Amino acid sequence: MWKEQNNKLYKNFEFKNFSEAFAFMARVAIEAEKMDHHPLWTNVYNKVEIWLSTHDAGDVVTDKDHKLAQKIDSLLK
């Protein structure tokens, strides 16, 4: 579940291994590029953390962030 905190949407993901985490990040990157809306994220081995905010709107959460969050979640199905 995405949490809104510090003017960002946040979610952490855990995968079986690094390859699965990296493949997920690649899929997210493709969707983010299509939307021209790029996440702040970290990856350590099998863990990925993502923060979403809209820089053009003053680094606050907008509808654009919620739409990307939904797309990200759909990649896990």
Side-chain angles (χ1 to χ4, degrees):
M1 170 177 271
W2 290 88
K3 295 179 184 176
E4 190 166 338
Q5 57 190 45
N6 301 321
N7 292 321
K8 291 177 178 30
L9 286 182
Y10 169 80
K11 189 170 182 179
N12 65 327
F13 302 85
E14 191 167 333
F15 299 90
K16 192 168 31 172
N17 54 43
F18 177 74
S19 293
E20 285 189 11
F22 194 85
F24 168 73
M25 291 177 72
R27 292 190 305 274
V28 170
I30 291 166
E31 294 303 320
E33 189 66 17
K34 287 179 192 174
M35 293 180 67
D36 192 30
H37 192 53
H38 307 95
L40 169 64
W41 56 12
T42 62
N43 165 241
V44 177
Y45 182 57
N46 68 332
K47 293 179 174 70
V48 176
E49 291 183 277
I50 299 177
W51 294 265
L52 301 174
S53 65
T54 303
H55 308 293
D56 297 353
D59 288 320
V60 296
V61 175
T62 67
D63 191 47
K64 202 171 187 179
D65 302 298
H66 288 284
K67 286 179 182 175
L68 182 53
Q70 287 176 334
K71 286 222 183 239
I72 291 169
D73 284 344
S74 75
L75 297 173
L76 296 169
K77 295 178 182 173

